[in-house]
Structures are given as C-alpha cells and as structure tokens.
Amino acid sequence: MKPVNSVLSSYGTTIFEVMSRLAAEHGAVNLGQGFPEGLEPPALLQAASRAILEGSQQYPSMMGTPALRRAVADHAMRFYGLAVDPDREVMVTSGGTEALADCLFGLIEPGDEVVLIEPLYDSYLPIVRRAGGVARLVRLEPPDWRLPRAAFEAAFTEKTKLLILNTPMNPTGKVFDVEELAFIAGLLERFDAYCVCDEVYEHLIYDGRRHIPLIGLPGMRERCLRIGSAGKTFSLTGWKVGYVTACPALLQPVAKAHQYITFTTPPNLQQAVAEGLGSGDAYYQGLAGGLQARRDKLAKGLADIGFSVLPCVGSYFLTTDFRPLGFRGDDVEFCKHITTQAGVAAVPVSVFYQAGDVRHYARFCFAKKDDAIDEALIRLARYFGPPGA
Ligand SMILES: Cc1ncc(COP(=O)(O)O)c(C=O)c1O
C-alpha cells in the first residue's frame, strides 16, 4: 500500500483527548480540556432554535451571512475603534481552527518561514508544515513568560512570511502588552511579514487588563489577519463559529482556502452569533467577571494545597508548578497520576513545547462550574493532605 501523508500521520492523538478519556475512565473531574461549563448564554440558545425553525437550512454565502459579517464589523468598531468593511474584510469560518488553517493555507508558499511562539496551541505546527512552511520557534519560559526580544528578532529572516501571535495566550494566560506589540509590529514591517492574530480569547481578560488587537497598531492594518471565535466569546465551543478580519488583499487568498475546505458554516448558528455579538456591556463584563471569580477560587485552592500557581490575566487556564508538592516524576506522569489517584484531570505543559522539556508544570482549566472546581479542590486536598500539612 502507498504511504499516506507523512506530515499529518506523524502526529499521535492529542493529549487533550488522551487525558479526557482517562478522566472519563476514572470518573475524574476534568479540568484538563479547555471547554467551558455553565456559561452558555440562554439568549443565544433561543436565537439558534428560532433560526433553525424559522430560518434557512441551505448553504449561506461562503463569506458568511450578511448579519454576522455586519455584527463582526460593528463589534470591531465598538471594542477597538477599528473600521471594518463587512462586505470585503470579514469572513465567517467553522471555528477559529478553520480560520487558522485557511490563513496558513492561503498565505504560505512552500519554503516560507513561519515564526511561532512556544508554548504553542496544538493546531498551528501541523498545518504550517502541511502547507509547506518552515517553522522558526521562539520560546517563552515560565514562570514569567516574558518575550525574549533578541531571540525573537533572530527568528525573523528575509524568508519570514508570517508570525502566528496568540493573545490572550493558551496555555500561559499571558496577554501581550502594548510595548511588546509595538516591538512585534516593528519586526513585521522590517521583514515585510504578515501576522495571523489568534485572538479567540479576546473577551477572556481579567484584572482590568484590556485586549489590544495588533491590527489596530500603526502600519498593521495591511499586515494582520485577526481571528475571533464565538466558541470562546459565548462559551459555545461545539458550535464552531469563527471569523477572520483582514484587508481585502489578504482576505482573498484566505477565502480561497475556506472555499475548498468547508465553504460555509451553519446559517442558524451564524444568526444566533450575530445577535450575541450585539449583546450589551453587561454580558461581556459578566463573562470576564464570572471567569475571574472562578480563576481566583481555583488559584487560591491550588495554592492552599501547595501548588505554586503562576499569574493568569487572560484565557481560561492556570499554569501550576507541582514541585512544591514533592512529586518526583515529570508533568505527564503527574497529570496521569492525579487523574487516576486523586480523581482530577489536568494537562501537562510539556506538550506545548516541541522539545517537551518544560517538565514540572500542569495546566488546569478554570472555566468550569463552581461545583466542579470545589470538588476538584476537595479531592486534591484529600490526596495531597490538608493545606500546610
Ligand atoms: C489558542 C486557540 N486558538 C484557537 C482555538 C480554536 O478555536 P475554535 O474552537 O473556535 O476552533 C483554541 C481552542 O481551544 C485555542 O485555544
């Protein structure tokens, strides 16, 4: 038999799936996989049901329904003061993941270099490679996740086609500040490169921090493609509704990829998301405020048990150093151990690095119901001993 594609077949089952299966087998509270619980806005569920019963069931425009494209443009103006043409600069996709793939397939020529920042969301690298791109990896290191400016600059060459920038960032919880963004913008201009801006966590940002889209910085309007996700903004990850915003010259090749990958996205879900994006400030503030409270509850509980908990200002993940608990194995062993022995699942941070060498951090998702967080903390405290013991 002829071999299948070597790039994609070289990857195993994702750790998220592995840990979720293990969690299910052992009845563990699953704080591993990053999906939210108990935050789905009822108004969107009603809007989707209405749209299914009363709306069209057929292919909508491949660029997305006019209502959703308009809502994405209005949202960009409302939150970031960005003027976006809904007819020429917005495309709806089947989730942020499809938007990422479309951008990479639409922009990369074989041999182009792509700068990526580790720890890395797992879909980036396989698609960059499948598109023929050559990855140039730059590492952020715990516990402060600071951008190493010299190493970052050294990753750019004449062959750099694009950077993928994720802010707020999974799994670190880092939010790039305006100085870092200005530094990045300078490099993109100097090396004539584009930036695929993965901003799916744009509304999951805490402690009064503000999300700053790179596309809004001087000179960046023609270089950036900004990706958003209703899955994250409305805690509806199974819906897989995403959107890309970019100038027409960049959006066109990306739309070609979309045309041949999914072509379109369910019209009824698009209608509900269009209504959702127009929600009042109370919705957006409530989302961030509610998640911040869950973050604080989990962070305090884990710290009381003895974890060293790293700061998190965005996304819904807490990174913890488990060495103070006295565990002697690596992070994969630790996560399997607490799943099977304590009944709480987490994800090892080493899987977000190609070298797999950051070995004593575990990632916990705090976008879970209060009951689940309480139960996880009770189980961990029971297993590791009472706080301070
Ligand atoms: C950094 C990052 N980008 C993109 C996505 C995918 O978004 P979607 O669920 O809309 O495909 C995720 C989902 O976890 C993510 O963490």
Side-chain angles (χ1 to χ4, degrees):
M1 302 284 269
K2 288 182 178 148
V4 296
N5 178 260
S6 59
V7 176
L8 296 181
S9 52
S10 70
Y11 290 94
T13 308
T14 77
I15 188 74
F16 309 105
E17 187 66 22
V18 171
M19 292 309 304
S20 287
R21 277 187 213 157
L22 195 65
E25 267 168 42
H26 290 268
V29 181
N30 190 354
L31 302 188
Q33 206 172 10
F35 60 87
E37 283 173 355
L39 295 166
E40 302 82 352
L44 266 79
L45 307 186
Q46 278 152 13
S49 318
R50 223 175 26 246
I52 284 179
L53 294 174
E54 295 166 14
S56 164
Q57 316 302 323
Q58 309 308 329
Y59 298 131
S61 153
M62 75 166 245
M63 297 306 283
T65 62
L68 181 50
R69 280 184 276 146
R70 158 65 57 199
V72 170
D74 290 349
H75 169 276
M77 174 54 77
R78 170 177 165 195
F79 286 97
Y80 311 119
L82 287 172
V84 170
D85 178 348
D87 296 326
R88 298 167 66 236
E89 297 188 311
V90 178
M91 184 175 81
V92 177
T93 59
S94 291
T97 310
E98 196 230 329
L100 281 159
D102 294 344
C103 290
L104 300 175
F105 285 129
L107 298 176
I108 293 173
E109 275 286 283
D112 282 347
E113 291 183 1
V114 176
V115 178
L116 297 156
I117 302 174
E118 292 187 301
L120 204 62
Y121 177 59
D122 68 339
S123 82
Y124 299 162
L125 206 47
I127 304 292
V128 166
R129 291 192 171 136
R130 191 66 186 92
V134 178
R136 307 269 303 195
L137 298 167
V138 181
R139 294 165 64 101
L140 305 187
E141 304 283 352
D144 56 18
W145 310 116
R146 198 171 304 125
L147 184 70
R149 292 197 180 196
F152 186 64
E153 186 168 350
F156 283 76
T157 74
E158 288 312 309
K159 289 192 185 162
T160 305
K161 175 61 80 59
L162 61 92
L163 161 74
I164 304 181
L165 181 70
N166 177 213
T167 183
M169 187 179 182
N170 172 13
T172 63
K174 175 184 170 77
V175 171
F176 285 74
D177 65 29
V178 72
E179 283 81 28
E180 288 171 319
L181 294 175
F183 174 71
I184 291 169
L187 290 175
L188 295 175
E189 286 199 305
R190 196 166 119 212
F191 290 92
D192 185 20
Y194 301 113
C195 188
V196 175
C197 302
D198 180 345
E199 300 181 7
V200 298
Y201 296 106
E202 62 188 313
H203 288 290
L204 279 54
I205 188 159
Y206 316 116
D207 304 328
R209 289 287 294 269
R210 216 167 42 90
H211 173 64
I212 305 170
L214 184 65
I215 197 172
L217 266 65
M220 291 297 101
R221 191 67 173 76
E222 314 298 316
R223 294 195 178 277
C224 292
L225 304 100
R226 188 176 111 73
I227 295 174
S229 166
K232 309 295 179 184
T233 296
F234 300 108
S235 309
L236 297 161
T237 58
W239 282 21
K240 299 300 281 188
V241 178
Y243 13 88
V244 190
T245 304
C247 66
L250 283 183
L251 195 59
Q252 270 161 23
V254 173
K256 295 287 161 51
H258 169 69
Q259 170 168 281
Y260 298 121
I261 294 177
T262 60
F263 184 69
T264 191
T265 299
N268 355 70
L269 301 184
Q270 291 193 52
Q271 176 56 34
V273 172
E275 293 177 35
L277 283 172
S279 301
D281 292 342
Y283 169 72
Y284 291 98
Q285 285 160 8
L287 175 69
L291 281 168
Q292 181 171 317
R294 294 182 188 197
R295 176 201 66 176
D296 293 344
K297 179 197 271 275
L298 184 62
K300 179 171 183 319
L302 291 174
D304 286 348
I305 290 163
F307 287 86
S308 166
V309 182
L310 274 51
C312 158
V313 281
S315 80
Y316 35 52
F317 304 108
L318 276 178
T319 305
T320 60
D321 183 344
F322 53 78
R323 282 174 302 183
L325 295 168
F327 186 81
R328 293 200 191 285
D330 67 18
D331 59 345
V332 175
E333 288 159 350
F334 179 79
C335 290
K336 288 189 172 156
H337 184 79
I338 60 169
T339 304
T340 56
Q341 306 302 312
V344 179
V347 166
V349 170
S350 61
V351 302
F352 296 89
Y353 287 92
Q354 283 312 289
D357 54 347
V358 172
R359 295 239 167 89
H360 45 263
Y361 292 92
R363 188 196 79 171
F364 291 88
C365 175
F366 56 80
K368 305 293 176 185
K369 290 184 180 155
D370 276 334
D371 290 356
I373 294 177
D374 288 337
E375 178 61 24
L377 290 171
I378 289 169
R379 291 182 182 196
L380 288 169
R382 195 185 300 139
Y383 185 72
F384 287 108

